[in-house]
Amino acid sequence: MTAVSDEQIRKAVDEETLRRLASPEDKEVEQLDAWWRAGNYLTIGQIYLQGNPLLREPLAPQHIKPRLLGHWGTSPGLSLIYAHVSRLIRHTGQQAIYLAGPGHGGPALVAAGYLEGTYSEIYPHVSQDEAGMLRLFRQFSSPGGIPSHVSVTTPGSIHEGGELGYVLVHAFGAVMDNPDLLAVAVVGDGEAETGPLEGSWKGVSFLNPERDGAVLPILHLNGAKIAGPTVLSRKDPAEVRRLLEGHGYEVLEVEGSDLPGMHHRFAATLAEAWSKIRAIQHLARTGGWDGSRPRWPLIVLRSPKGWTGPEQVDGVRMAGTWRSHQVPLSGVRDNPEHLAILEGWLRSYRPEELFDATGAPTELVRGLAPEGDLRMSASPHANGGLLTRDLALPDFRDYAVEVPQPARTRAESTRRLGELLRDVYRDNPDNFRLFCPDETNSNRLGAVFEVSDRAFAERVTADDVAISRDGRVMEVLSEHNCHGWLEGYTLTGRHGMFATYEAFAMVSASQTVQHGKWLQEASRLPWRAKVPSLNVLLTSTAWRNDHNGFSHQGPGLIQVVLTQRGDVARVYLPPDANCLLSVADHCLRSRSYINLIVIDKQPQLQWLSIDQAVEHCARGAGIWDWAGTDDGTSDPDIVLACAGDVVTMETVAAAQILKERLPGFKVRVVNVVDLMTLMRPKDHPHGMSGTLFTELFTDTVDVVFAFHGYPGAIHQLVHGRPDADRFRVRGFIEEGTTTTPFDMTVRNRASRYHLVMDAINNARRLPRGASDLMAWCERKLAEHQAYVVDHLEDMPEVRDWSPADWAQQG
C-alpha cells in the first residue's frame, strides 16, 4: 500500500478535528508550553533539589542533593512529545500509551504522571502541593525512593528502558489484538544503535490494521549519547529517511529549537501522523483495504540534547552536546557559580506561572491533560492485569497419550502440546498468541496452523503455506522480537507463549532477566495488577540437537532463570507428554511468573498416564517405584534422581541395569519435574518441606543426579539440605558435536553406563558383582564408540531400548 491519500484521510477523520489538531490556537500553544516548562522544571528538581522546591527563597547549597544522579539530555524532548500526545488525546479520545526508549529520561515521565494527577492518586504522600513536590524531588534516585529509569514504579509504564533496544518490540506486542490502542514509542538515537532495536523496525510487517492497534515510532535524534555523537544524527537526513522508508514507513520530520515554532510544527506533524493511522485503520475496517502492507507513519524529531538547559558551563558548550546527557552542572553545592547557573536555569521556566501558592499545578498546566483513564499515566493498558481475561482453556486431559504401562509408547511430546495450543487459539481469538522464530513446525507445534496462519503483512506468493495478513501465529527469525512482542502482549493483559530452540533462548536471555526484575518489583506495588505469565518453551534441546551440532547445544537459560527471585521464577522439566500437558495448563493459568518449560521435540518414551502425570506435577517430584528396587522399608543403597526427558530415560535405563546385574542392590529412582521444589521453602515458594525431601532423598544416602542442564544448578538448588555434598550431579558439561543422540550423553558423562558406575562408586554398601559390572560398563562404552563411528547411528540396544521385563514384574 502506498501512503494514504488526503481523500482517504477525510473519510476517516473529521476535517474540523484535524484542522484544530494541526493548527493549535494561541491559548493552546500557551498551554502546551506551560505544561512542557512544568515538566522540565520538575525533571530538574528531581535531579538536583532536596529543599526549596518552588524557589520561595534564593537557592542555597543545603537545598542541593549530596549526590546528583539522573539524565537531563533526553528529558526535554520526551516531555515535549508527552505534552503534544496528551493534547491529541484530549481532542480525539484516542487510547494511548507512552513508551520511552531512552529510559534514563525517567524524571520526565515521573513529572508527567505528577502533572496529570495520577502519581498523587497512586502515591498519596506525593501530593500536589509544596510538601508533595519536595517528596517527589527527594525520592528520585535516592535510598528508599525510586529508580532513575521509567521503571515499574512509574504510572503508565510498561517499558523501563534501562536496558536499551526493546521499545519497539514492546510497543508492537502491546497493540496486537488491541485495535483501539496507539502505542507512542520514542526511540532514542543512542538506542537506535543497538542490535535489538535495529531488528525491530520490521514490526510493521506483522501488524493487521483491521484487528491490531497502531505503533507510532518517534525517532528522537538529539545528536549525542553519553560521550559522543550518535550514528544516525551524523548521517545525512536524506539517508536516514531512505533507511526508514526501506523498513516500510512514511517518514515525517520535525526539526528545530525555536519557540513557539516547534510547538506549531510538532502539533501539525503529530496530527498528520495520527490522521494517516486512522485512515489506514478505517480502510481496513470498512472493507477498503487491498490487503497490502500499509505504509505506517513515523516521526523523526530533531531537537537539541539538553534543550533549554545551560548553554555553557565553565566556558564549555553544554546544550546540544553530549555533555548535557546526564547532569550538566556538577559540584553545585561547592561551586557558587554553578549554583547560580542552576537557579537561573530553574527560574527560566517561570515556576510562579506553573504552580499556585500551595504548590499545585495551575489550571493553565492542568488543562492540557485528558481525563480519567485517557491520561497516559492512568491507562489501564499500562497496567494490563486490570484488563486481563482468563483464557478459555480446554481440558488438557483430552490430549493425553495413552500410557497403559511405563515405556510402552513413544510420542513427540510437543506435538500433543501443539494440539492443545491449536484449541487455545480457536477458543481465544483475541487473547492468545504463540511467538516463535520460524520454528513452529520444527518444534512440533504446527497443529496451530489448522486454525490460524502465520501473521504476515508483506507480499504472499503461491508457494507460501499458512501465511496471511489474517494470521495470528507470530514467526520472525529474531528471538528479541518474539520475546519482546510477548512481553508487550502480556503486560497489556493478554496471554501467550514464546517457543524457541533451547540454545538460542540465550540470544534474548537478558530480556528474560529484565522481565523478571519488572515482575519482581511489580509484586511489591499493590496498585499493579498481576499480568499473564511469560511462558517460555525450550525444545530442540542440547541432548537431541545431533544434526545441528555444538553451536545448537546449550541449556544456559535454565541457569539464568534460576538466578531470578523465587517469587517470579519457575522451571519445569516434564519427562513426557502427559506431564508437559499438565505443566502447560498450569502455566497458562498462572499470573506474573516467568515459566520456563524444557522438553525435546523428538519421539520419546512415555512414562506416566495422565492421572499419574497430574499427581506427579502437583507434587513437583516423586519416587518412581516401578523403576527401582527400593521396597520402602528401609533406606536404599543409592538414590538415582533425574530432571529432564533424556536424562530421565538414562536414569531409568541405569536402574534397570542395576536391577538385572546387581539384584541385591537397592535402588530408588526419583524424578523431578518442578526444579524449584529442590529448594528449601524459605528460599522458594515451591520448595518442598524437609519431611518430603527426606522421604525422597533420605538424609544420608548418596544421590546420583542426572540433570538436563549444567551440574552446578543442582548443587545450587540443594544448598542447605541435609548433607548436600552427597549429591553427585551429571549434566551438560559443554561437550558436544554433530553426533548420535546417545553419544551426547556419553560425551557429557551422563549416559546410563556412567550413572551405573557412579552408583557403584558412591554407594556405601556393594553386593558381590559390582566390580564385574564396572568392567562391563567400560566395555559397553568402548563398544558404543566403535559402533557409532562404523555405523553412524547408535547401537540397537540403546536406540530401541525399552525395559521389557516391567510387564512381567508388574
Side-chain angles (χ1 to χ4, degrees):
M1 178 186 287
T2 57
V4 292
S5 66
D6 291 343
E7 176 64 25
Q8 290 166 332
I9 291 173
R10 282 193 290 270
K11 290 180 179 178
V13 181
D14 176 76
E15 286 192 58
E16 178 59 22
T17 299
L18 184 56
R19 186 196 65 77
R20 285 189 287 111
L21 282 175
S23 303
E25 297 178 352
D26 291 345
K27 178 65 175 177
E28 280 195 303
V29 173
E30 182 185 4
Q31 194 175 49
L32 280 165
D33 194 66
W35 197 101
W36 182 50
R37 285 186 284 123
N40 289 336
Y41 181 88
L42 294 175
T43 296
I44 301 160
Q46 290 175 78
I47 295 172
Y48 283 96
L49 298 184
Q50 65 171 355
N52 194 14
L54 286 165
L55 302 184
R56 304 288 196 198
E57 56 184 290
L59 201 59
Q62 63 267 25
H63 300 145
I64 308 302
K65 291 181 177 181
R67 299 173 70 230
L68 300 180
L69 303 169
H71 289 67
W72 162 247
T74 188
S75 295
L78 293 177
S79 294
L80 180 88
I81 295 166
Y82 201 104
H84 280 264
V85 176
S86 293
R87 173 178 172 266
L88 171 77
I89 295 168
R90 189 162 52 80
H91 277 289
T92 65
Q94 174 68 58
Q95 297 180 46
I97 57 174
Y98 188 106
L99 296 91
H104 277 299
L109 273 296
V110 170
Y114 183 77
L115 292 175
E116 289 185 322
T118 313
Y119 208 93
S120 299
E121 293 165 12
I122 292 174
Y123 306 111
H125 64 290
V126 186
S127 48
Q128 285 194 318
D129 53 27
E130 185 172 4
M133 187 185 296
L134 182 58
R135 292 189 185 97
L136 183 79
F137 291 174
R138 288 179 61 88
Q139 71 177 8
F140 177 75
S141 264
S142 299
I146 63 171
S148 65
H149 297 173
V150 189
S151 72
V152 66
T153 63
T154 307
S157 173
I158 66 166
H159 172 80
E160 178 161 354
E163 182 171 300
L164 299 179
Y166 311 126
V167 66
L168 281 180
V169 291
H170 287 158
F172 280 112
V175 303
M176 292 173 184
D177 296 322
N178 214 347
D180 298 325
L181 183 64
L182 172 66
V184 178
V186 184
V187 180
D189 50 356
E191 177 183 31
E193 296 176 8
T194 66
L197 194 287
E198 188 63 46
S200 62
W201 294 110
K202 64 177 66 69
V204 287
S205 297
F206 299 88
L207 280 191
N208 180 330
E210 185 177 3
R211 178 190 58 226
D212 300 328
V215 174
L216 175 58
I218 300 179
L219 176 59
H220 185 202
L221 294 180
N222 59 29
K225 42 187 183 279
I226 193 168
T230 57
V231 174
L232 290 182
S233 71
R234 294 294 175 90
K235 285 182 177 292
D236 184 279
E239 193 173 19
V240 175
R241 190 180 313 117
R242 289 194 298 271
L243 172 68
L244 298 171
E245 288 173 345
H247 283 301
Y249 295 90
E250 181 179 358
V251 180
L252 312 176
E253 299 180 72
V254 184
E255 181 175 5
S257 61
D258 57 304
L259 295 170
M262 279 294 282
H263 286 303
H264 285 286
R265 293 196 296 278
F266 194 83
T269 303
L270 183 61
E272 182 180 1
W274 179 80
S275 66
K276 290 176 183 296
I277 288 170
R278 296 300 298 154
I280 290 168
Q281 293 175 335
H282 180 263
L283 280 170
R285 297 170 190 181
T286 58
W289 183 26
D290 63 5
S292 61
R293 175 185 50 75
R295 186 164 286 277
W296 296 93
L298 175 153
I299 296 175
V300 176
L301 170 63
R302 292 181 173 89
S303 65
K305 191 89 166 180
W307 186 14
T308 72
E311 291 294 326
Q312 285 192 349
V313 176
D314 298 332
V316 177
R317 185 178 168 219
M318 193 64 54
T321 76
W322 56 269
R323 296 180 183 90
S324 63
H325 180 83
Q326 293 177 300
V327 179
L329 290 162
S330 60
V332 179
R333 273 187 161 189
D334 305 318
N335 188 322
E337 183 180 346
H338 286 197
L339 183 65
I341 294 173
L342 175 60
E343 182 168 3
W345 179 15
L346 284 164
R347 292 192 186 277
S348 73
Y349 299 109
R350 306 190 298 280
E352 66 279 2
E353 299 175 6
L354 310 175
F355 306 99
D356 64 20
T358 70
T362 61
E363 177 55 36
L364 181 65
V365 174
R366 290 199 311 271
L368 183 74
E371 295 183 356
D373 288 352
L374 284 178
R375 296 171 295 175
M376 288 186 285
S377 60
S379 172
H381 295 285
N383 191 4
L386 298 175
L387 303 176
T388 298
R389 293 173 284 131
D390 289 341
L391 282 174
L393 289 175
D395 188 342
F396 66 91
R397 293 170 179 81
D398 294 342
Y399 307 86
V401 175
E402 288 294 324
V403 184
Q405 292 177 328
R408 284 292 175 272
T409 305
R410 288 184 185 270
E412 295 169 321
S413 297
T414 55
R415 194 173 295 279
R416 294 303 176 107
L417 175 62
E419 295 169 3
L420 170 67
L421 297 181
R422 172 197 62 202
D423 296 340
V424 174
Y425 257 103
R426 179 197 63 202
D427 298 337
N428 301 271
D430 61 352
N431 199 24
F432 177 84
R433 290 204 188 197
L434 175 66
F435 302 83
C436 189
D438 192 34
E439 297 154 359
T440 304
N441 272 326
S442 173
N443 287 330
R444 313 299 194 263
L445 303 174
V448 296
F449 296 130
E450 297 173 21
V451 295
S452 175
D453 291 339
R454 300 170 179 88
F456 202 52
E458 298 290 352
R459 181 172 53 89
V460 176
T461 73
D463 294 322
D464 294 328
V465 176
I467 297 176
S468 74
R469 72 183 192 191
D470 297 319
R472 294 181 57 255
V473 179
M474 308 308 297
E475 280 197 349
V476 60
L477 198 51
S478 163
E479 288 79 8
H480 288 121
N481 274 293
C482 290
H483 198 299
W485 287 349
L486 176 58
E487 288 177 348
Y489 198 71
T490 58
L491 288 171
T492 49
R494 281 73 49 75
H495 306 256
M497 179 175 286
F498 167 41
T500 188
Y501 287 7
E502 181 182 52
F504 301 134
M506 292 302 291
V507 172
S508 56
S510 188
Q511 289 180 274
T512 309
V513 172
Q514 294 296 320
H515 192 73
K517 293 176 185 291
W518 179 279
L519 295 177
Q520 179 182 326
E521 289 300 302
S523 70
R524 299 168 181 167
L525 299 172
W527 60 273
R528 283 277 184 187
K530 289 185 177 296
V531 295
S533 295
L534 186 84
N535 300 308
V536 181
L537 172 70
L538 304 186
T539 185
S540 297
T541 65
W543 302 96
R544 286 293 182 265
N545 239 311
D546 40 286
H547 71 290
N548 281 314
F550 198 29
S551 64
H552 285 56
Q553 295 161 353
L557 194 67
I558 293 175
Q559 206 84 13
V560 170
V561 175
L562 287 181
T563 65
Q564 300 285 284
R565 292 283 300 176
D567 49 359
V568 299
R570 305 287 185 269
V571 180
Y572 299 98
L573 294 160
D576 65 3
N578 290 338
C579 289
L580 173 61
L581 291 168
S582 178
V583 164
D585 179 80
H586 171 76
C587 293
L588 291 172
R589 296 179 188 275
S590 69
R591 296 287 186 275
S592 290
Y593 297 142
I594 292 174
N595 293 313
L596 179 62
I597 308 170
V598 186
I599 188 169
D600 195 63
K601 66 186 181 182
Q602 301 293 347
Q604 53 191 200
L605 289 171
Q606 303 296 306
W607 308 104
L608 304 180
S609 70
I610 191 63
D611 290 336
Q612 292 170 332
V614 170
E615 180 181 358
H616 183 50
C617 293
R619 288 169 59 94
I623 299 171
W624 285 4
D625 292 317
W626 43 267
T629 53
D630 172 31
D631 59 12
T633 59
S634 60
D635 283 348
D637 296 313
I638 198 75
V639 175
L640 295 183
C642 49
D645 47 8
V646 169
V647 292
T648 290
M649 181 176 68
E650 293 306 303
T651 298
V652 175
Q656 187 192 29
I657 292 170
L658 290 166
K659 182 190 305 184
E660 293 173 348
R661 294 182 174 272
L662 292 181
F665 192 55
K666 293 175 64 177
V667 178
R668 176 180 297 174
V669 175
V670 176
N671 179 262
V672 178
V673 61
D674 179 352
L675 202 58
M676 302 311 202
T677 61
L678 295 174
M679 301 177 77
R680 298 174 297 181
K682 67 178 182 179
D683 297 327
H684 195 282
H686 285 197
M688 70 176 75
S689 68
T691 302
L692 179 56
F693 192 89
T694 298
E695 180 182 324
L696 297 182
F697 298 105
T698 80
D699 286 342
T700 58
V701 174
D702 279 41
V703 179
V704 175
F705 203 121
F707 177 50
H708 177 93
Y710 294 111
I714 299 300
H715 294 296
Q716 172 185 339
L717 291 167
V718 301
H719 175 75
R721 294 293 191 177
D723 192 12
D725 287 345
R726 63 197 168 95
F727 280 74
R728 310 289 194 271
V729 187
R730 294 293 186 179
F732 188 75
I733 55 174
E734 288 296 342
E735 290 290 343
T737 185
T738 301
T739 189
T740 66
F742 183 65
D743 192 52
M744 279 297 297
T745 68
V746 172
R747 287 172 177 270
N748 288 278
R749 303 185 64 79
S751 75
R752 60 198 65 182
Y753 304 124
H754 288 97
L755 299 178
V756 168
M757 291 189 289
D758 279 352
I760 293 171
N761 284 332
N762 291 286
R764 300 179 186 181
R765 183 194 69 86
L766 287 175
R768 184 178 300 170
S771 61
D772 290 340
L773 181 54
M774 287 282 287
W776 179 83
C777 288
E778 294 284 6
R779 289 197 301 273
K780 297 304 291 184
L781 289 169
E783 182 182 344
H784 154 77
Q785 185 63 42
Y787 190 93
V788 294
V789 171
D790 190 30
H791 295 83
L792 310 182
E793 61 179 346
D794 287 320
M795 297 184 295
E797 65 192 79
V798 172
R799 186 180 67 243
D800 304 323
W801 175 83
S802 180
D805 60 339
W806 284 351
Q808 287 77 17
Q809 294 184 11

